[in-house]
Every structure is written in C-alpha cells, then in structure tokens.
C-alpha cells in the first residue's frame, strides 16, 4: 500500500494574523454588510490598478462583488448582452465564464486556444468575425478573453479586432475574465483593466482571496453606473447611503430588476489586507516557479508552462510529453497523488461536459484541437505563496521518479 498522506497540498490561502485582526474589527463594529470597509477596498483596488495605466488612459472604477461569476453577469448585462446576441469565448476555461453568457440569454461561440499558451487565439477570433460578416449567423456583441494561469492573452490584437468589427449601431465589447491574472502587468496596464470591463475572482484558491468574492473594473462611467445599480437590487441608493446620509433611510427608487451581488465588509476586510500583500505573494509564487522551471527544463518528458510578460503565475501548468511516456496524463496524475502531491486539472474543456456538448453539435474535441491536446497532457501542480522550497523539491522529485519509471525505452 502506497503512503497516501498529502505531503504537498495543492493550494493554501496565505492568511495570517493581519486578516484575523481586520475581520475581528469589522465583526465588532456592528456593520457586517457592504459599507465603509468595502468602499475602502474598492478605492484601494482602483488606486492599485490606476498606477499602472498608460498616462493617456481614463481611470478605472472598481466595484466589489460576491464572486467573479456575479461580476461577469453584471458586466455582460451592462454591455447589453442579451437574447439575440452572441459572445465569443474560449472552451478552455472554468465553466462560469461561458455559463454567464447563457445566464443573460446570449449564444456562446467557442474559439480555440493558441497552440502553446492556453489562451484564446486572436487570429481565430478574426476568422469567426469574418465568417460572421458573410453569413450574418450571429449578432456578435462581445469577446471574453481568459488570461489562463495569469499569462495575458494577445490583448493588443483582441482590442484591435473589437474596434475593427464594431459598427456605429453595434459595438463589440471586450470583457476580460481576469480570475487568474492578479496581478498581470502589461504595457497597457494590468490585465483586467485593458478591455471595456474586467472581472477578478477572490475565490479561496485565487491569487488574492476573500474566501468568496470578486471585483469588476471598468473605465467606462456609464457601464460603472449601470453595474453599481444592478449589483444591489436595481436600487438607486446603497444600504450604506441609506443609513448614513441625512436623506430618509426608507426612501429609494428601483430603476431596474437588479441582482444581489454585493461584497460584505467582513470579506472586504480580508481583501484589503490581501491587497497589501500583493507584491510579496507574487514574489513567492514567482520564486517557486523558478525552482520548478530550472528542474523541469532538464527533463525530456515534461514541458514548462508558457510564459509571457507580466505573468501573475497563478497556476503552474506542467505539460507531459506523452510521446516520451508509457502512461497517460490520468495515470501520471494518480501516481503523483499516491506519492503525496496535491494536483488539479485546469481545465476540462467545456465541450467535454454534457450540457455544452448537447447545446451545439459543433462543440466537439475535433473542432478545438489545441484545447484538447493541451488538456490531455496538462497537470496543475502545487503553487502557492507560503509553500516551502522543500515542498517544491519534493514535487520535482516525485515528477522525476514517475517520469523515469514510465519513460519509453
Ligand atoms: C475561478 C474562476 C472563475 C469563477 O470565479 P468565482 O469567483 O468562483 O465566481 C471564472 N473564471 C475562471 C477562469 C476561474 O478560474
């Protein structure tokens, strides 16, 4: 019997006494829901993002939400994505990216990823747009790029495409799924602030966490205004405003059928501390990545993850060179787990799932060959700020031993 005890956990949030103290302060304050703490978090998040924007850029407005999923629905809704419209996105993502498009009633058009990077292929987006100009099959209103593992998509080209194929009556929006890309710095600013809107996730495993939570960013004041109202019941006043402004607290108007997507102060308190640790957490992830890269570059049966400028290194996507191995990815992953290494898979392409397969007969692995070929060779291995160098070396040892044992002769 193999020793099944986990030696290296897959992921662990970087939480210490500072977060504990911040939460306790809010709990004792008597104000638990969205209020001053959340506004401060939004302001500090915006300040962080604005520092990196090109000098000619408008500033970012940040709205705290209870998840990336909620933020994505808000952004799609504010951009007018609804029944009768369509959105181009990648099948290589977590399901919520595409599910949100369905939630607002629009059609999903999947576009394959690049051969190496896991990110949506901008040239293939253009092919879809050209084809659609001819056959007018869809009313394409948005593109959702996902910066997989924190490695930024070809945003320059994607922004150009959105502009080129927009018309006076029909703007094509770019909404970034920035769930992995905090903080991915480019010369256009941080990923998540480049498109018309960008959505971050603060889920427990993400690079900045509040347990559950998210932030939606935009430079467009009218989108910001709509999202702010829709975030809380379609109300023209926030609860904080109702209880702190001299205007009577029971007076408000409802201007649309809104959602309930606000982030409570207890969680924002965690977020504010996490935000201060951004640089140190990033540096530690980067350090572990360098240990991994150095070791794995020596092995002929693995390929290190793609890397681009400003990569946030949220995940370490280790790729098996299957032609060098006598076992497949699943068997390799199982052996890693048996040897105490926590692993995960990012992502099962959406065309593998019953709902998505049944939705459109073209959602097959044959139509998205890059997504499929990356999926069947990728294992996500431990990468988190507080993991020790020893944990990284333990992981490397296990990978090396399995690869040597099952190497083709
Ligand atoms: C985690 C994740 C989401 C969803 O984030 P939530 O905050 O859990 O809603 C969306 N997209 C990607 C790529 C993710 O990894």
């Amino acid at each position: 019997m193999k020793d099944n005890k986990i030696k290296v956990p897959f992921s662990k949030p970087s939480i210490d006494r500072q977060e504990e103290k911040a939460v306790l302060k809010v709990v004792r304050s008597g104000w638990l829901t969205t209020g001053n703490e959340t506004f401060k978090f939004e302001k500090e998040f915006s300040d962080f993002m604005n520092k990196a924007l090109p000098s000619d850029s408008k500033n970012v407005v940040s709205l705290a939400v209870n998840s990336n999923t909620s933020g994505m629905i808000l952004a799609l809704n504010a951009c007018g994505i609804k029944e009768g419209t369509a959105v181009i996105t990648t099948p290589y993502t977590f399901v919520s990216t595409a599910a949100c498009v369905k939630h607002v009633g629009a059609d999903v058009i999947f576009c394959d990823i690049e051969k190496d990077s896991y990110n949506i292929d901008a040239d293939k987006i253009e092919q879809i747009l050209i084809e659609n100009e001819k056959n007018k099959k869809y009313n394409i209103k948005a593109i959702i790029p996902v910066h997989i593992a924190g490695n930024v998509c070809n945003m320059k080209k994607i922004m150009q495409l959105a502009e080129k194929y927009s018309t006076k009556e029909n703007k094509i929006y770019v909404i970034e799924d920035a769930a992995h890309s905090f903080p991915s710095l480019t010369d256009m600013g941080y990923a998540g602030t480049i498109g018309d809107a960008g959505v971050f996730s603060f889920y427990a495993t993400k690079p900045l966490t509040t347990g559950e939570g998210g932030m939606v960013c935009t430079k467009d004041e009218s989108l910001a205004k709509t999202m702010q109202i829709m975030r809380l019941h379609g109300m023209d006043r926030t609860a904080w405003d109702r209880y702190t402004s001299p205007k009577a607290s029971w007076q408000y108007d409802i201007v649309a059928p809104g959602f309930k997507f606000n982030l409570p102060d207890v969680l924002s308190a965690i977020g504010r501390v996490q935000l201060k640790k951004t640089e140190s957490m990033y540096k530690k992830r980067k350090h572990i990545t360098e240990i991994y890269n150095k070791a794995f570059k020596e092995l002929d049966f693995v390929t290190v993850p793609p890397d681009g400028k400003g990569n946030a290194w949220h995940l370490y996507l280790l790729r098996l060179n299957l032609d060098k191995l006598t076992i497949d990815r699943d068997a390799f992953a199982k052996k890693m787990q048996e040897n105490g290494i926590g692993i995960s898979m990012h992502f099962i392409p959406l065309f593998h799932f019953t709902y998505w397969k049944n939705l459109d007969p073209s959602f097959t692995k044959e139509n998205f060959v890059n997504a499929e070929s990356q999926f069947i060779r990728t294992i996500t291995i431990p990468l988190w700020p507080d993991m020790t160098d020893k944990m990284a070396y333990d992981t490397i040892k296990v990978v090396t031993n399995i690869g040597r044992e099952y190497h083709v002769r």
Side-chain angles (χ1 to χ4, degrees), residues 296 299 301-303 318-322 324-341 343 345 376-381 395-407:
F296 292 141
L299 303 175
F301 55 88
V302 288
T303 300
L318 185 68
R319 293 175 282 187
L320 304 179
N321 299 334
L322 296 171
K324 295 281 195 295
L325 295 164
T326 59
I327 52 173
D328 66 7
R329 188 273 318 267
D330 288 0
F332 200 105
K334 186 152 175 275
K335 298 216 172 290
M336 287 187 72
Q337 288 175 310
E338 284 169 0
N339 284 282
I341 309 299
I343 58 104
M345 304 288 179
I376 62 167
R377 65 187 289 228
T378 300
I379 301 174
T380 319
I381 65 173
T395 304
I396 291 166
K397 195 153 95 194
V398 168
V399 169
T400 308
N401 289 344
I402 299 169
R404 295 224 166 108
E405 187 175 349
Y406 296 95
H407 204 282

Side-chain angles (χ1 to χ4, degrees), residues 210-265:
T210 59
E212 299 284 355
M215 194 74 83
V216 45
C217 290
T218 182
K219 292 177 248 178
D220 182 321
E221 282 140 38
S222 121
L223 288 183
K225 178 97 204 169
T226 306
M227 292 195 289
Q228 185 162 24
I229 289 170
M230 294 306 284
R231 173 176 61 170
L232 201 69
H233 306 298
M235 223 179 256
D236 67 343
R237 293 176 76 190
T238 62
W240 178 257
D241 177 60
R242 286 196 286 126
Y243 287 97
T244 55
S245 110
K247 200 171 147 189
S249 69
W250 53 266
Q251 280 181 338
Y252 58 80
D253 192 16
I254 298 293
V255 295
F259 304 103
K260 166 74 180 182
F261 287 164
N262 56 306
L263 187 69
D265 272 13

Side-chain angles (χ1 to χ4, degrees), residues 67-280:
S67 70
N68 164 294
T69 306
S70 304
M72 187 55 79
I73 292 171
L74 280 184
L76 288 163
N77 175 268
C79 293
I81 316 301
K82 55 180 186 228
E83 213 178 316
T85 70
V87 175
I88 300 175
T89 193
T90 167
Y92 210 97
T93 183
F94 183 60
V95 64
S96 75
T97 316
C100 289
V101 176
K102 299 304 294 179
H103 286 319
V104 299
D107 290 322
V108 172
I109 304 170
F110 282 135
C111 174
D112 202 6
I113 57 174
E114 295 169 337
K115 214 172 169 60
D116 186 57
S117 78
Y118 297 89
N119 284 336
I120 194 164
D121 186 332
D123 293 330
K124 289 196 180 122
I125 295 177
E126 182 153 32
Q127 284 169 19
I128 291 170
L129 291 166
I130 290 170
E131 182 76 7
N132 196 62
E133 292 223 311
K134 282 189 228 137
N135 65 21
K136 304 264 190 295
K137 188 168 170 201
Y138 296 105
N139 177 16
I140 298 172
K141 288 277 297 169
I143 303 166
I144 309 178
V146 186
H147 311 297
I148 296 291
N151 190 30
V152 185
C153 296
N154 185 352
M155 287 305 291
K156 206 158 260 161
K157 170 103 198 216
I158 292 171
M159 295 306 289
Q160 279 166 1
L161 288 175
E163 204 184 314
K164 183 172 166 192
Y165 291 89
S166 286
T167 59
K168 251 223 192 89
E169 308 76 53
N170 189 44
K171 176 177 163 64
I172 298 180
Y173 290 88
V174 176
I175 304 172
E176 295 170 82
D177 183 337
H180 296 181
S181 54
F182 184 82
S184 296
L185 187 59
T186 77
D187 53 9
M188 293 177 282
Y190 282 107
T193 67
I194 303 167
D196 296 284
V199 194
F200 295 87
S201 170
F202 305 146
Y203 178 67
T205 58
K206 302 293 158 82
L208 184 164
T209 185
T210 59
E212 299 284 355
M215 194 74 83
V216 45
C217 290
T218 182
K219 292 177 248 178
D220 182 321
E221 282 140 38
S222 121
L223 288 183
K225 178 97 204 169
T226 306
M227 292 195 289
Q228 185 162 24
I229 289 170
M230 294 306 284
R231 173 176 61 170
L232 201 69
H233 306 298
M235 223 179 256
D236 67 343
R237 293 176 76 190
T238 62
W240 178 257
D241 177 60
R242 286 196 286 126
Y243 287 97
T244 55
S245 110
K247 200 171 147 189
S249 69
W250 53 266
Q251 280 181 338
Y252 58 80
D253 192 16
I254 298 293
V255 295
F259 304 103
K260 166 74 180 182
F261 287 164
N262 56 306
L263 187 69
D265 272 13
V266 181
L267 299 184
S268 294
I270 301 177
R272 291 183 68 203
V273 176
Q274 290 266 300
L275 184 60
K276 288 200 192 85
K277 296 189 196 168
T278 299
E279 183 68 17
S280 67

Side-chain angles (χ1 to χ4, degrees), residues 326-397:
T326 59
I327 52 173
D328 66 7
R329 188 273 318 267
D330 288 0
F332 200 105
K334 186 152 175 275
K335 298 216 172 290
M336 287 187 72
Q337 288 175 310
E338 284 169 0
N339 284 282
I341 309 299
I343 58 104
S344 188
M345 304 288 179
H346 294 87
F347 285 101
I348 303 170
L350 299 184
F351 48 78
H352 279 266
F353 294 117
T354 304
Y355 169 75
W356 293 98
K357 258 197 299 221
N358 291 343
L359 192 62
D360 187 324
S362 78
F363 292 171
T364 63
K365 58 185 181 198
E366 290 75 20
N367 284 329
F368 304 95
V369 290
N370 292 343
E372 183 64 12
S373 69
Q374 290 285 49
F375 168 60
I376 62 167
R377 65 187 289 228
T378 300
I379 301 174
T380 319
I381 65 173
L383 176 59
W384 37 283
D386 297 343
M387 71 184 274
T388 59
D389 289 10
K390 180 172 184 304
M391 289 178 176
Y393 289 118
D394 284 346
T395 304
I396 291 166
K397 195 153 95 194

Side-chain angles (χ1 to χ4, degrees), residues 309-323:
K309 192 164 168 275
N311 193 340
W313 287 110
H314 166 47
L315 301 171
Y316 195 94
L317 302 170
L318 185 68
R319 293 175 282 187
L320 304 179
N321 299 334
L322 296 171
D323 59 334

